[in-house]
Coordinates of all heavy atoms in Angstrom, one line a residue:
M1094 N 10.4 -13.8 -4.9 CA 10.1 -12.5 -4.2 C 8.6 -12.0 -4.8 O 8.6 -11.8 -5.9 CB 11.0 -11.4 -4.2 CG 10.6 -10.1 -3.7 SD 11.9 -8.8 -3.5 CE 12.8 -8.9 -5.1
K1095 N 7.7 -11.8 -4.1 CA 6.5 -11.3 -4.5 C 6.4 -9.8 -4.2 O 6.4 -9.5 -3.0 CB 5.3 -12.0 -3.8 CG 5.2 -13.3 -4.3 CD 3.9 -14.0 -3.9 CE 3.9 -15.5 -4.3 NZ 2.9 -15.8 -5.3
K1096 N 6.4 -9.0 -5.2 CA 6.3 -7.6 -5.0 C 4.8 -7.1 -5.1 O 4.0 -7.6 -5.8 CB 7.0 -6.8 -6.0 CG 8.6 -6.8 -6.0 CD 9.1 -6.1 -7.0 CE 10.7 -6.3 -6.9 NZ 11.5 -5.6 -8.0
T1097 N 4.5 -6.1 -4.2 CA 3.1 -5.5 -4.1 C 3.3 -4.1 -4.1 O 4.2 -3.4 -3.6 CB 2.5 -6.0 -2.7 OG1 2.4 -7.4 -2.6 CG2 1.2 -5.3 -2.6
I1098 N 2.3 -3.5 -4.8 CA 2.2 -2.0 -5.0 C 1.2 -1.5 -4.0 O 0.0 -2.0 -4.1 CB 1.9 -1.6 -6.4 CG1 2.8 -2.2 -7.5 CG2 1.9 0.0 -6.5 CD1 4.3 -2.0 -7.3
I1099 N 1.5 -0.6 -3.2 CA 0.6 -0.1 -2.3 C 0.4 1.5 -2.5 O 1.5 2.1 -2.6 CB 1.0 -0.3 -0.8 CG1 1.1 -1.7 -0.4 CG2 0.0 0.5 0.2 CD1 1.7 -2.1 1.0
T1100 N -0.8 2.0 -2.7 CA -1.0 3.4 -2.8 C -1.9 4.0 -1.8 O -2.7 3.3 -1.3 CB -1.7 3.7 -4.2 OG1 -2.9 3.1 -4.3 CG2 -0.9 3.3 -5.3
V1101 N -1.4 5.2 -1.3 CA -2.2 5.8 -0.2 C -2.5 7.2 -0.7 O -1.6 7.9 -1.1 CB -1.3 5.8 1.1 CG1 -2.1 6.6 2.3 CG2 -0.8 4.5 1.5
V1102 N -3.8 7.6 -0.6 CA -4.2 9.0 -1.1 C -5.3 9.6 -0.1 O -6.2 8.8 0.3 CB -4.8 8.9 -2.6 CG1 -5.3 10.2 -3.0 CG2 -3.8 8.3 -3.5
G1103 N -5.1 10.8 0.3 CA -6.0 11.5 1.0 C -5.6 12.9 1.5 O -4.5 13.2 1.2
K1104 N -6.4 13.4 2.2 CA -6.1 14.7 2.8 C -5.0 14.5 3.8 O -4.9 13.7 4.6 CB -7.3 15.3 3.6 CG -7.2 16.7 4.1 CD -7.7 17.5 3.0 CE -7.8 19.0 3.6 NZ -7.3 20.0 2.6
D1105 N -4.0 15.5 3.7 CA -2.6 15.3 4.5 C -3.0 15.5 6.0 O -3.8 16.4 6.3 CB -1.6 16.2 4.0 CG -0.3 16.0 4.7 OD1 0.1 14.9 4.9 OD2 0.4 17.1 5.1
K1106 N -2.4 14.6 6.8 CA -2.4 14.9 8.4 C -1.2 14.2 8.9 O -0.6 13.3 8.2 CB -3.7 14.4 8.8 CG -4.0 13.0 8.8 CD -5.2 12.6 9.6 CE -6.3 12.1 8.8 NZ -7.4 11.8 9.5
V1107 N -0.9 14.5 10.0 CA 0.2 13.9 10.9 C 0.0 12.4 11.1 O -1.1 12.0 11.4 CB 0.3 14.5 12.2 CG1 1.4 13.9 13.0 CG2 0.8 16.1 12.0
G1108 N 0.9 11.6 10.8 CA 1.0 10.2 11.1 C 0.6 9.1 10.1 O 0.6 7.9 10.4
I1109 N 0.3 9.7 8.9 CA -0.2 8.6 7.8 C 1.1 7.7 7.6 O 0.8 6.4 7.6 CB -0.5 9.4 6.5 CG1 -1.8 10.3 6.8 CG2 -0.8 8.3 5.4 CD1 -2.1 11.1 5.6
I1110 N 2.2 8.2 7.3 CA 3.4 7.3 7.0 C 3.7 6.4 8.2 O 3.8 5.2 7.9 CB 4.6 8.1 6.5 CG1 4.3 8.8 5.2 CG2 5.8 7.1 6.4 CD1 5.4 9.9 4.8
G1111 N 3.7 7.0 9.4 CA 4.0 6.2 10.6 C 3.0 5.0 10.7 O 3.5 3.8 11.0
K1112 N 1.7 5.3 10.6 CA 0.8 4.3 10.8 C 0.8 3.2 9.7 O 0.7 2.0 10.1 CB -0.7 4.8 10.9 CG -0.9 5.5 12.2 CD -2.2 6.3 12.2 CE -2.2 7.0 13.5 NZ -3.5 7.8 13.8
V1113 N 0.9 3.6 8.4 CA 1.1 2.6 7.4 C 2.3 1.7 7.6 O 2.3 0.4 7.4 CB 1.1 3.2 6.0 CG1 1.3 2.2 5.0 CG2 -0.4 3.9 5.8
C1114 N 3.4 2.4 7.9 CA 4.8 1.6 8.0 C 4.7 0.7 9.3 O 5.2 -0.4 9.3 CB 6.0 2.6 8.0 SG 6.2 3.3 6.5
T1115 N 4.1 1.1 10.3 CA 4.1 0.3 11.5 C 3.2 -0.9 11.1 O 3.5 -2.1 11.5 CB 3.4 1.1 12.6 OG1 4.2 2.2 13.0 CG2 3.1 0.2 13.9
F1116 N 2.0 -0.7 10.5 CA 1.2 -1.9 10.1 C 2.0 -2.9 9.2 O 2.0 -4.1 9.5 CB 0.1 -1.4 9.3 CG -0.8 -2.6 8.7 CD1 -1.8 -3.2 9.3 CD2 -0.4 -3.0 7.3 CE1 -2.5 -4.2 8.7 CE2 -1.2 -4.0 6.8 CZ -2.3 -4.7 7.5
L1117 N 2.8 -2.4 8.2 CA 3.6 -3.3 7.4 C 4.6 -4.0 8.2 O 4.9 -5.2 7.9 CB 4.2 -2.4 6.3 CG 3.1 -1.9 5.3 CD1 3.8 -1.0 4.2 CD2 2.4 -3.0 4.6
A1118 N 5.3 -3.3 9.1 CA 6.3 -4.0 9.9 C 5.7 -5.0 10.8 O 6.4 -6.2 11.0 CB 7.0 -2.9 10.8
E1119 N 4.6 -4.9 11.3 CA 3.9 -5.9 12.1 C 3.5 -7.1 11.3 O 3.5 -8.2 11.8 CB 2.7 -5.3 12.8 CG 3.0 -4.4 13.9 CD 1.8 -3.6 14.4 OE1 0.7 -3.7 13.9 OE2 2.0 -2.9 15.4
K1120 N 3.4 -6.9 10.0 CA 3.0 -8.1 9.1 C 4.3 -8.6 8.4 O 4.2 -9.5 7.6 CB 2.1 -7.5 7.9 CG 0.8 -7.0 8.5 CD -0.1 -8.3 8.8 CE -1.5 -7.9 9.2 NZ -2.2 -8.9 9.7
N1121 N 5.5 -8.2 8.9 CA 6.8 -8.6 8.4 C 6.9 -8.3 6.9 O 7.4 -9.2 6.1 CB 7.0 -10.0 8.7 CG 8.5 -10.5 8.7 OD1 9.3 -9.6 8.9 ND2 8.8 -11.6 8.2
V1122 N 6.4 -7.2 6.5 CA 6.5 -6.7 5.1 C 7.6 -5.8 4.8 O 7.7 -4.8 5.5 CB 5.1 -6.1 4.5 CG1 5.3 -5.5 3.2 CG2 4.0 -7.2 4.6
N1123 N 8.5 -6.1 3.9 CA 9.7 -5.2 3.8 C 9.3 -4.1 2.6 O 8.9 -4.5 1.6 CB 10.8 -6.1 3.3 CG 12.2 -5.4 3.0 OD1 12.4 -4.4 3.9 ND2 12.9 -5.7 2.1
I1124 N 9.7 -2.9 3.0 CA 9.5 -1.8 2.0 C 10.8 -1.7 1.1 O 11.8 -1.5 1.6 CB 9.3 -0.4 2.8 CG1 8.0 -0.6 3.7 CG2 9.2 0.7 1.8 CD1 7.8 0.6 4.5
L1125 N 10.6 -1.9 -0.1 CA 11.7 -1.8 -1.1 C 11.8 -0.4 -1.6 O 13.0 0.0 -1.9 CB 11.4 -2.8 -2.2 CG 11.2 -4.3 -1.9 CD1 10.8 -5.1 -3.1 CD2 12.5 -4.8 -1.2
D1126 N 10.8 0.3 -1.9 CA 10.9 1.7 -2.4 C 9.6 2.4 -1.9 O 8.5 1.8 -1.8 CB 11.0 1.6 -3.9 CG 11.4 2.8 -4.5 OD1 11.8 3.8 -3.9 OD2 11.7 2.8 -5.8
I1127 N 9.8 3.8 -1.7 CA 8.7 4.5 -1.3 C 8.9 5.9 -1.8 O 9.9 6.5 -1.9 CB 8.7 4.6 0.3 CG1 7.4 5.3 0.8 CG2 9.9 5.1 0.9 CD1 7.2 5.2 2.2
S1128 N 7.7 6.5 -2.3 CA 7.7 7.9 -2.8 C 6.5 8.6 -2.2 O 5.3 8.0 -2.3 CB 7.7 7.9 -4.3 OG 7.5 9.1 -4.8
Q1129 N 6.6 9.7 -1.7 CA 5.4 10.4 -1.3 C 5.6 11.9 -1.6 O 6.7 12.5 -1.7 CB 5.2 10.2 0.2 CG 6.2 10.8 1.2 CD 5.9 12.2 1.6 OE1 4.7 12.5 1.8 NE2 6.8 13.1 1.8
T1130 N 4.3 12.5 -1.8 CA 4.3 13.9 -2.1 C 3.1 14.5 -1.6 O 2.1 13.7 -1.3 CB 4.4 14.2 -3.6 OG1 4.6 15.6 -3.8 CG2 3.2 13.7 -4.4
I1131 N 3.0 15.8 -1.3 CA 1.8 16.5 -0.8 C 1.6 17.6 -2.0 O 2.4 18.4 -2.3 CB 2.0 17.1 0.4 CG1 2.2 16.0 1.5 CG2 0.7 17.9 0.9 CD1 2.7 16.5 2.9
V1132 N 0.4 17.7 -2.5 CA 0.0 18.6 -3.4 C -1.3 19.2 -2.9 O -2.3 18.6 -2.9 CB -0.3 17.9 -4.8 CG1 -0.8 18.9 -5.9 CG2 1.0 17.2 -5.3
A1133 N -1.2 20.5 -2.8 CA -2.3 21.3 -2.4 C -3.1 20.8 -1.2 O -4.3 20.6 -1.2 CB -3.4 21.5 -3.6
G1134 N -2.4 20.3 -0.2 CA -2.9 19.6 1.0 C -3.3 18.2 0.9 O -3.8 17.6 1.9
Y1135 N -3.1 17.5 -0.3 CA -3.4 16.2 -0.4 C -2.2 15.3 -0.5 O -1.2 15.6 -1.3 CB -4.3 15.9 -1.7 CG -5.6 16.5 -1.6 CD1 -6.0 17.8 -1.8 CD2 -6.7 15.7 -0.9 CE1 -7.2 18.3 -1.7 CE2 -7.9 16.3 -0.7 CZ -8.1 17.7 -1.2 OH -9.4 18.1 -0.9
F1136 N -2.2 14.2 0.3 CA -1.2 13.3 0.5 C -1.2 12.2 -0.5 O -2.4 11.6 -0.8 CB -1.2 12.7 1.9 CG -0.1 11.6 2.1 CD1 1.1 12.0 2.7 CD2 -0.4 10.3 2.0 CE1 2.1 11.1 3.0 CE2 0.6 9.4 2.4 CZ 1.8 9.7 2.7
N1137 N -0.1 11.9 -1.2 CA 0.0 10.7 -2.2 C 1.2 10.0 -1.8 O 2.3 10.5 -2.0 CB -0.1 11.4 -3.6 CG -0.2 10.3 -4.6 OD1 -0.5 9.1 -4.4 ND2 0.1 10.7 -5.8
M1138 N 1.1 8.7 -1.7 CA 2.4 7.9 -1.4 C 2.2 6.5 -2.3 O 1.0 6.0 -2.4 CB 2.3 7.4 0.1 CG 3.5 6.6 0.3 SD 3.9 6.5 2.1 CE 2.5 5.7 2.7
M1139 N 3.2 6.2 -2.8 CA 3.3 4.8 -3.5 C 4.5 4.1 -3.0 O 5.5 4.7 -2.8 CB 3.5 5.0 -5.0 CG 3.6 3.8 -5.8 SD 3.7 4.3 -7.6 CE 3.8 2.6 -8.2
M1140 N 4.1 2.8 -2.6 CA 5.2 1.9 -2.0 C 5.3 0.7 -2.9 O 4.3 0.2 -3.3 CB 4.9 1.6 -0.6 CG 4.6 2.7 0.3 SD 3.8 2.2 1.9 CE 5.4 2.0 2.8
I1141 N 6.6 0.2 -2.9 CA 6.8 -1.1 -3.5 C 7.3 -1.9 -2.4 O 8.2 -1.6 -1.7 CB 7.7 -1.1 -4.7 CG1 7.3 -0.1 -5.9 CG2 8.0 -2.6 -5.3 CD1 8.2 0.0 -7.0
V1142 N 6.6 -3.0 -2.1 CA 6.9 -3.8 -0.9 C 7.1 -5.2 -1.3 O 6.6 -5.7 -2.3 CB 5.9 -3.7 0.2 CG1 5.7 -2.2 0.6 CG2 4.6 -4.4 -0.2
E1143 N 7.7 -6.0 -0.4 CA 8.0 -7.4 -0.7 C 7.2 -8.1 0.3 O 7.4 -8.0 1.6 CB 9.5 -7.8 -0.4 CG 9.9 -9.2 -0.5 CD 11.3 -9.5 0.0 OE1 11.9 -8.9 0.8 OE2 11.9 -10.3 -0.9
A1144 N 6.2 -8.8 -0.1 CA 5.2 -9.5 0.7 C 5.1 -11.0 0.3 O 4.9 -11.4 -0.8 CB 3.8 -8.9 0.6
E1145 N 5.4 -11.8 1.3 CA 5.3 -13.2 1.1 C 4.0 -13.8 1.2 O 3.8 -14.9 0.9 CB 6.3 -13.9 2.1 CG 7.8 -13.6 1.8 CD 8.3 -14.1 0.5 OE1 7.9 -15.1 -0.1 OE2 9.0 -13.3 -0.2
Q1146 N 3.1 -13.0 1.6 CA 1.6 -13.5 1.7 C 1.1 -13.9 0.5 O 1.3 -13.3 -0.6 CB 0.7 -12.3 2.4 CG 1.0 -12.0 3.8 CD 2.0 -10.9 3.8 OE1 2.6 -10.6 2.9 NE2 2.2 -10.2 5.1
T1147 N 0.4 -14.9 0.4 CA -0.3 -15.4 -0.8 C -1.7 -15.8 -0.5 O -2.1 -16.0 0.7 CB 0.4 -16.7 -1.4 OG1 0.4 -17.7 -0.4 CG2 1.9 -16.3 -1.8
G1148 N -2.5 -15.9 -1.4 CA -3.9 -16.3 -1.3 C -4.7 -15.6 -0.3 O -4.8 -14.3 -0.3
E1149 N -5.2 -16.2 0.7 CA -6.1 -15.7 1.8 C -5.3 -14.6 2.6 O -5.7 -13.7 2.9 CB -6.7 -16.8 2.7 CG -7.7 -17.7 2.0 CD -9.0 -16.8 1.5 OE1 -9.4 -15.9 2.4 OE2 -9.4 -17.0 0.4
E1150 N -4.0 -15.0 2.9 CA -3.2 -14.1 3.7 C -3.1 -12.8 3.0 O -3.3 -11.7 3.6 CB -1.8 -14.7 3.9 CG -1.7 -15.8 4.9 CD -0.3 -16.3 5.0 OE1 0.5 -16.2 4.0 OE2 0.1 -16.5 6.2
F1151 N -2.9 -12.7 1.7 CA -2.7 -11.5 0.9 C -4.1 -10.7 0.9 O -4.1 -9.5 1.2 CB -2.3 -11.8 -0.4 CG -2.1 -10.4 -1.3 CD1 -1.0 -9.7 -1.1 CD2 -3.0 -10.1 -2.2 CE1 -0.9 -8.5 -1.8 CE2 -2.9 -9.0 -3.0 CZ -1.9 -8.1 -2.8
L1152 N -5.1 -11.5 0.7 CA -6.6 -10.8 0.7 C -6.8 -10.2 2.0 O -7.4 -9.0 2.1 CB -7.6 -11.8 0.2 CG -7.4 -12.3 -1.2 CD1 -8.5 -13.4 -1.6 CD2 -7.5 -11.2 -2.2
S1153 N -6.4 -10.9 3.1 CA -6.6 -10.4 4.3 C -5.9 -9.1 4.7 O -6.4 -8.1 5.2 CB -6.2 -11.5 5.4 OG -6.3 -11.0 6.7
M1154 N -4.5 -9.0 4.3 CA -3.8 -7.9 4.3 C -4.3 -6.7 3.5 O -4.4 -5.5 4.0 CB -2.3 -8.1 3.8 CG -1.4 -6.9 4.1 SD 0.3 -7.2 3.5 CE 0.1 -7.0 1.8
V1155 N -4.8 -7.0 2.3 CA -5.4 -5.9 1.5 C -6.7 -5.3 2.3 O -6.8 -4.1 2.3 CB -5.9 -6.5 0.1 CG1 -6.7 -5.5 -0.6 CG2 -4.6 -6.8 -0.7
E1156 N -7.5 -6.2 2.8 CA -8.7 -5.7 3.5 C -8.3 -4.9 4.8 O -8.9 -3.9 5.1 CB -9.6 -6.8 3.9 CG -10.9 -6.4 4.6 CD -11.7 -5.6 3.8 OE1 -11.7 -5.6 2.6 OE2 -12.4 -4.7 4.4
E1157 N -7.3 -5.4 5.5 CA -6.9 -4.7 6.7 C -6.2 -3.4 6.3 O -6.4 -2.3 7.1 CB -5.8 -5.5 7.4 CG -6.5 -6.7 8.2 CD -5.3 -7.6 8.8 OE1 -4.4 -7.1 9.4 OE2 -5.4 -8.8 8.8
L1158 N -5.5 -3.3 5.2 CA -5.0 -2.0 4.8 C -6.1 -0.9 4.5 O -6.0 0.3 4.9 CB -4.1 -2.1 3.6 CG -2.6 -2.5 3.9 CD1 -1.9 -3.0 2.6 CD2 -1.8 -1.5 4.6
K1159 N -7.2 -1.6 3.8 CA -8.3 -0.7 3.5 C -9.0 -0.2 4.8 O -9.2 1.0 4.9 CB -9.4 -1.5 2.7 CG -10.5 -0.8 2.2 CD -11.5 -1.7 1.5 CE -12.8 -0.9 1.0 NZ -13.7 -1.7 0.4
Q1160 N -9.1 -1.1 5.7 CA -9.7 -0.6 7.0 C -8.8 0.3 7.8 O -9.3 1.4 8.2 CB -9.9 -1.8 7.9 CG -11.1 -2.8 7.3 CD -11.2 -4.1 8.2 OE1 -10.4 -4.2 9.1 NE2 -12.1 -4.9 7.7
L1161 N -7.5 0.2 7.7 CA -6.6 1.1 8.2 C -6.7 2.5 7.7 O -6.8 3.5 8.3 CB -5.1 0.6 8.1 CG -4.0 1.7 8.6 CD1 -4.1 2.0 10.0 CD2 -2.6 1.1 8.2
G1162 N -6.8 2.5 6.2 CA -7.1 3.8 5.6 C -8.3 4.5 6.0 O -8.3 5.6 6.1
E1163 N -9.4 3.7 6.1 CA -10.6 4.3 6.5 C -10.5 4.9 7.9 O -11.1 6.0 8.2 CB -11.7 3.2 6.5 CG -12.2 2.9 5.1 CD -13.1 1.6 5.0 OE1 -13.5 1.0 6.2 OE2 -13.5 1.3 3.9
S1164 N -9.8 4.2 8.8 CA -9.6 4.8 10.2 C -8.8 6.0 10.3 O -9.0 6.8 11.2 CB -9.0 3.8 11.1 OG -7.6 3.4 10.9
I1165 N -7.9 6.3 9.3 CA -7.0 7.5 9.3 C -7.5 8.5 8.3 O -6.8 9.4 8.1 CB -5.6 7.2 9.3 CG1 -5.3 6.3 8.0 CG2 -5.1 6.4 10.5 CD1 -3.8 6.1 7.8
G1166 N -8.6 8.1 7.5 CA -9.1 9.1 6.6 C -8.4 9.2 5.2 O -8.4 10.3 4.6
V1167 N -7.8 8.1 4.8 CA -7.2 8.0 3.5 C -7.7 6.8 2.8 O -8.4 5.9 3.4 CB -5.7 8.0 3.5 CG1 -5.2 9.3 4.2 CG2 -5.1 6.8 4.3
M1168 N -7.3 6.6 1.5 CA -7.7 5.5 0.7 C -6.4 4.7 0.5 O -5.4 5.3 0.0 CB -8.3 5.7 -0.6 CG -8.8 4.7 -1.4 SD -9.8 5.0 -2.9 CE -8.3 5.7 -3.9
I1169 N -6.4 3.4 0.9 CA -5.2 2.6 0.7 C -5.6 1.4 -0.2 O -6.6 0.8 0.1 CB -4.7 2.0 2.0 CG1 -4.3 3.2 2.9 CG2 -3.4 1.2 1.8 CD1 -3.9 2.8 4.3
Q1170 N -4.9 1.2 -1.2 CA -5.0 0.1 -2.2 C -3.8 -0.6 -2.3 O -2.7 -0.1 -2.2 CB -5.4 0.6 -3.5 CG -6.8 1.3 -3.5 CD -7.2 1.6 -5.0 OE1 -6.4 2.0 -5.8 NE2 -8.5 1.4 -5.3
A1171 N -3.9 -2.0 -2.4 CA -2.7 -2.8 -2.5 C -3.0 -3.9 -3.6 O -4.1 -4.5 -3.6 CB -2.3 -3.6 -1.2
Q1172 N -2.1 -4.1 -4.5 CA -2.2 -5.2 -5.5 C -0.8 -5.7 -5.9 O 0.1 -5.1 -5.8 CB -3.0 -4.7 -6.7 CG -2.4 -3.4 -7.4 CD -3.4 -2.7 -8.3 OE1 -2.9 -2.2 -9.4 NE2 -4.7 -2.7 -8.0
H1173 N -0.9 -7.0 -6.4 CA 0.4 -7.6 -6.8 C 1.0 -6.8 -7.9 O 0.2 -6.3 -8.8 CB 0.1 -9.1 -7.1 CG -0.1 -10.0 -6.1 ND1 0.8 -10.3 -5.1 CD2 -1.2 -10.7 -5.8 CE1 0.3 -11.1 -4.3 NE2 -0.9 -11.4 -4.6
E1174 N 2.2 -6.8 -8.0 CA 2.9 -6.1 -9.1 C 2.5 -6.5 -10.4 O 2.3 -5.6 -11.2 CB 4.4 -6.3 -8.9 CG 5.3 -5.5 -9.9 CD 6.8 -5.9 -9.9 OE1 7.1 -7.0 -9.6 OE2 7.5 -4.9 -10.0
D1175 N 2.4 -7.8 -10.7 CA 2.0 -8.1 -12.1 C 0.6 -7.6 -12.5 O 0.3 -7.2 -13.6 CB 2.1 -9.6 -12.2 CG 1.2 -10.3 -11.2 OD1 0.8 -9.8 -10.2 OD2 1.1 -11.7 -11.3
I1176 N -0.4 -7.6 -11.5 CA -1.6 -7.0 -11.8 C -1.5 -5.5 -12.0 O -2.2 -4.9 -13.0 CB -2.7 -7.4 -10.7 CG1 -2.8 -8.9 -10.6 CG2 -4.0 -6.5 -10.9 CD1 -3.8 -9.3 -9.5
F1177 N -0.8 -4.8 -11.2 CA -0.6 -3.4 -11.3 C 0.0 -3.1 -12.8 O -0.5 -2.2 -13.4 CB 0.3 -2.8 -10.3 CG 0.5 -1.4 -10.3 CD1 -0.2 -0.6 -9.7 CD2 1.7 -0.8 -11.1 CE1 -0.1 0.8 -9.7 CE2 1.9 0.4 -11.1 CZ 1.0 1.4 -10.4
N1178 N 1.0 -3.8 -13.2 CA 1.5 -3.6 -14.5 C 0.6 -3.9 -15.6 O 0.6 -3.1 -16.6 CB 2.8 -4.5 -14.6 CG 4.0 -4.0 -13.7 OD1 4.2 -2.9 -13.4 ND2 4.8 -4.9 -13.4
M1179 N -0.2 -4.9 -15.5 CA -1.2 -5.2 -16.5 C -2.2 -4.1 -16.6 O -2.6 -3.7 -17.8 CB -1.8 -6.6 -16.3 CG -0.9 -7.8 -16.4 SD -0.2 -7.8 -18.1 CE -1.5 -8.9 -18.8
M1180 N -2.6 -3.5 -15.6 CA -3.5 -2.5 -15.5 C -3.0 -1.1 -16.1 O -3.8 -0.4 -16.6 CB -4.1 -2.1 -14.1 CG -4.9 -3.3 -13.6 SD -5.6 -3.1 -11.9 CE -6.4 -1.5 -12.1
H1181 N -1.8 -1.0 -16.0 CA -1.2 0.3 -16.5 C -0.3 0.1 -17.8 O 0.5 0.9 -18.1 CB -0.3 0.8 -15.4 CG -1.2 1.2 -14.2 ND1 -1.4 0.3 -13.2 CD2 -1.9 2.4 -13.9 CE1 -2.3 0.9 -12.3 NE2 -2.6 2.2 -12.7
R1182 N -0.5 -0.9 -18.5 CA 0.1 -1.1 -19.9 C -0.6 -0.1 -20.9 O -1.8 0.1 -20.9 CB 0.1 -2.4 -20.4 CG 1.0 -3.3 -19.7 CD 1.1 -4.7 -20.3 NE 0.2 -5.0 -21.5 CZ 0.3 -6.2 -22.1 NH1 0.9 -7.1 -21.6 NH2 -0.5 -6.4 -23.2
I1183 N 0.3 0.4 -21.7 CA -0.3 1.2 -22.8 C -0.3 0.4 -24.1 O 0.6 -0.2 -24.4 CB 0.5 2.6 -22.9 CG1 0.4 3.4 -21.7 CG2 0.0 3.4 -24.1 CD1 1.1 4.7 -21.6

């Protein structure tokens, strides 16, 4: 199982979770865990998903998520769990 960390940050508005989750469902990506909060009007969500995409498929999904974020006014980033963990080691 390949886990991917997806983060979504931006000004809160209706439909952010719905649009991101719909995109993932269409890509057959399973959401394993999700946490979201709103602080002073800013939306912050972190998801752990199971994505079987590898190589070009994964890079394509990352770019499509970025474009989705731009279209709804938020920043969406996705990275493999192992890269996320390496970047956040102390």
Side-chain angles (χ1 to χ4, degrees):
M1094 170 172 52
K1095 294 193 183 247
K1096 291 183 184 174
T1097 299
I1098 309 299
I1099 298 173
T1100 57
V1101 182
V1102 178
K1104 190 90 169 137
D1105 187 38
K1106 66 170 118 181
V1107 174
I1109 297 171
I1110 296 172
K1112 288 178 182 173
V1113 174
C1114 290
T1115 298
F1116 171 87
L1117 294 174
E1119 290 171 353
K1120 296 288 186 185
N1121 200 33
V1122 173
N1123 185 34
I1124 298 170
L1125 301 173
D1126 201 356
I1127 183 171
S1128 173
Q1129 68 92 32
T1130 188
I1131 299 167
V1132 177
Y1135 289 92
F1136 178 86
N1137 186 14
M1138 178 168 65
M1139 181 174 178
M1140 308 171 88
I1141 301 173
V1142 302
E1143 177 184 39
E1145 291 300 319
Q1146 293 91 345
T1147 59
E1149 290 299 317
E1150 287 180 325
F1151 180 77
L1152 294 176
S1153 176
M1154 184 182 78
V1155 168
E1156 183 58 33
E1157 288 176 42
L1158 279 167
K1159 181 179 176 185
Q1160 291 173 4
L1161 172 63
E1163 290 171 359
S1164 74
I1165 60 176
V1167 297
M1168 185 176 72
I1169 303 177
Q1170 293 183 320
Q1172 51 194 218
H1173 287 294
E1174 179 185 39
D1175 53 348
I1176 294 172
F1177 181 87
N1178 288 336
M1179 293 299 271
M1180 289 178 59
H1181 294 90
R1182 276 186 10 179
I1183 295 179

